[in-house]
Amino acid sequence: MSDICKNWTQWLSQTRFAHMSEVQIQETFKWLFALRDIVISKAQIQPGNRVIDIGCGSGLLSFGVIEKFEDNVEIIFSDKFQDCLDECKKLLGECGVKYNASFLQSDCLDIKLPDCSVDRAMTRSVLVHIVDKQKAINEIYRILKKGGIYSAFEPIIKSNTRYHELTNPSQITDWQAFKDAEDEFMSDVNDSLTNFDAQSIAQNLDSAGFSDGAIDVEDTTSSYIATRESIAKWFESVPSPDRPSSKERFLKYFDEKKVDNYIKEVQDALHNKMITVTSKTIFIRATK
């Protein structure tokens, strides 16, 4: 793996936006705050609740809860990575409001809490990084009290617009071969990013024992002018610190010279063109 992204704090604050223009970054932040509010609303948090933000990352959900409830709710910042917790602690010390917070370094597959110990559990783009989603959802079910609510947001990466959908065979050498490769790695059952959809998550919730798992599916569309620089970043950016970039994925199928030529041809085809990309996301709400 390259040194582009060394840890989750860096990826959350810098690398995940590296392929975006400033306008796109601002639009993304608006979208993130909107989805934060939806996840918190679906959790139906009440004063006095004990709430855990699993895989808290930069604390988007936790800080949203603090902003709304201050110290009337106990919030647990939980993450596998200490660098994320350290960053949240730093931000919490600067927020200037009352809060009742604790920090738990813990893997989502083995949450260091007793059975039936929290009223609400929330995740945001966490399951997408876990191969065994059933085990993670079972853990969330275990720590919730009876009547407790799990609320979450997850991107369905396998539904994202693909490179071959933005180009055509007359523009790309071996277009079909690259299409086949992309279709294969975007549906890999062993890749946490691509091994799930709304239906499989619904089955996971049911298997865990949730009584009324509900999933809302949303399609997001974005249009913008592509440039050579932004297209290069599509291929260079990593989806998380421990995962390969798109270029690295293609290198499993083709030699570097061929992949570099493919990237150049995509740049030639799309530079200064208005493109439209779509993605699918889900909001989860389930009661124990």
Side-chain angles (χ1 to χ4, degrees):
M1 192 63 59
S2 69
D3 289 334
I4 292 174
C5 186
K6 296 180 179 179
N7 58 46
W8 276 91
T9 298
Q10 180 186 342
W11 182 82
L12 288 165
S13 63
Q14 300 173 31
T15 308
R16 65 172 166 168
F17 300 131
H19 64 288
M20 297 182 183
S21 68
E22 187 60 35
V23 171
Q24 288 175 289
I25 291 173
Q26 294 306 316
E27 290 176 350
T28 298
F29 274 114
K30 290 180 182 178
W31 173 71
L32 285 171
F33 285 123
L35 72 84
R36 172 203 66 182
D37 292 342
I38 293 172
V39 172
I40 293 173
S41 176
K42 286 181 177 290
Q44 296 184 332
I45 297 168
Q46 303 296 320
N49 278 172
R50 192 181 195 210
V51 181
I52 184 170
D53 178 4
I54 301 167
C56 64
S58 54
L60 180 73
L61 297 178
S62 293
F63 286 111
V65 171
I66 290 172
E67 182 180 293
K68 184 175 179 62
F69 294 96
E70 293 193 342
D71 59 354
N72 294 309
V73 163
E74 179 186 352
I75 183 72
I76 303 169
F77 291 77
S78 176
D79 205 284
K80 179 180 178 180
F81 300 99
Q82 187 62 46
D83 62 282
C84 291
L85 298 177
D86 290 343
E87 183 67 15
C88 288
K89 286 179 183 178
K90 177 184 174 183
L91 294 173
L92 193 60
E94 298 170 355
C95 72
V97 298
K98 297 183 295 181
Y99 57 84
N100 179 9
S102 59
F103 296 85
L104 177 68
Q105 185 176 8
S106 189
D107 192 319
C108 185
L109 297 175
D110 183 22
I111 303 171
K112 305 302 183 185
L113 289 175
D115 295 355
C116 308
S117 58
V118 298
D119 301 286
R120 302 289 187 268
M122 304 183 300
T123 63
R124 194 265 302 179
S125 298
V126 170
L127 298 179
V128 70
H129 297 295
I130 298 172
V131 174
D132 191 345
K133 292 167 176 59
Q134 186 65 66
K135 186 174 181 180
I137 291 173
N138 289 348
E139 267 295 273
I140 293 167
Y141 182 87
R142 179 186 67 80
I143 65 170
L144 279 169
K145 298 176 183 177
K146 181 66 175 178
I149 295 173
Y150 171 46
S151 180
F153 162 86
E154 293 292 335
I156 307 299
I157 303 296
K158 67 188 300 180
S159 71
N160 287 358
T161 298
R162 301 180 185 179
Y163 300 120
H164 67 260
E165 294 175 317
L166 297 171
T167 58
N168 62 64
S170 68
Q171 298 169 311
I172 306 294
T173 305
D174 294 324
W175 181 88
Q176 186 65 49
F178 279 93
K179 174 187 181 301
D180 292 344
E182 187 175 13
D183 285 342
E184 183 172 318
F185 68 65
M186 287 295 285
S187 57
D188 183 356
V189 297
N190 296 311
D191 187 334
S192 66
L193 298 173
T194 60
N195 69 352
F196 73 110
D197 56 22
Q199 290 72 32
S200 66
I201 294 296
Q203 292 170 359
N204 294 148
L205 293 170
D206 185 62
S207 296
F210 284 100
S211 61
D212 66 344
I215 295 179
D216 295 328
V217 181
E218 292 191 2
D219 291 317
T220 302
T221 299
S222 176
S223 297
Y224 58 92
I225 300 292
T227 65
R228 291 186 184 279
E229 181 181 19
S230 66
I231 294 165
K233 289 178 179 178
W234 293 351
F235 289 92
E236 295 167 359
S237 298
V238 294
S240 67
D242 58 345
R243 305 316 300 274
S245 65
S246 291
K247 179 178 178 178
E248 290 168 320
R249 291 172 190 269
F250 279 117
L251 285 171
K252 294 181 180 180
Y253 299 86
F254 313 103
D255 63 42
E256 188 160 17
K257 181 178 180 180
K258 194 165 187 174
V259 173
D260 285 342
N261 184 66
Y262 174 66
I263 294 171
K264 179 182 180 300
E265 290 183 334
V266 172
Q267 290 174 310
D268 291 342
L270 301 181
H271 179 61
N272 280 339
K273 301 286 179 58
M274 176 68 73
I275 65 169
T276 298
V277 296
T278 61
S279 61
K280 195 178 295 292
T281 58
I282 59 172
F283 290 94
I284 303 165
R285 184 191 180 280
T287 305
K288 179 172 180 177

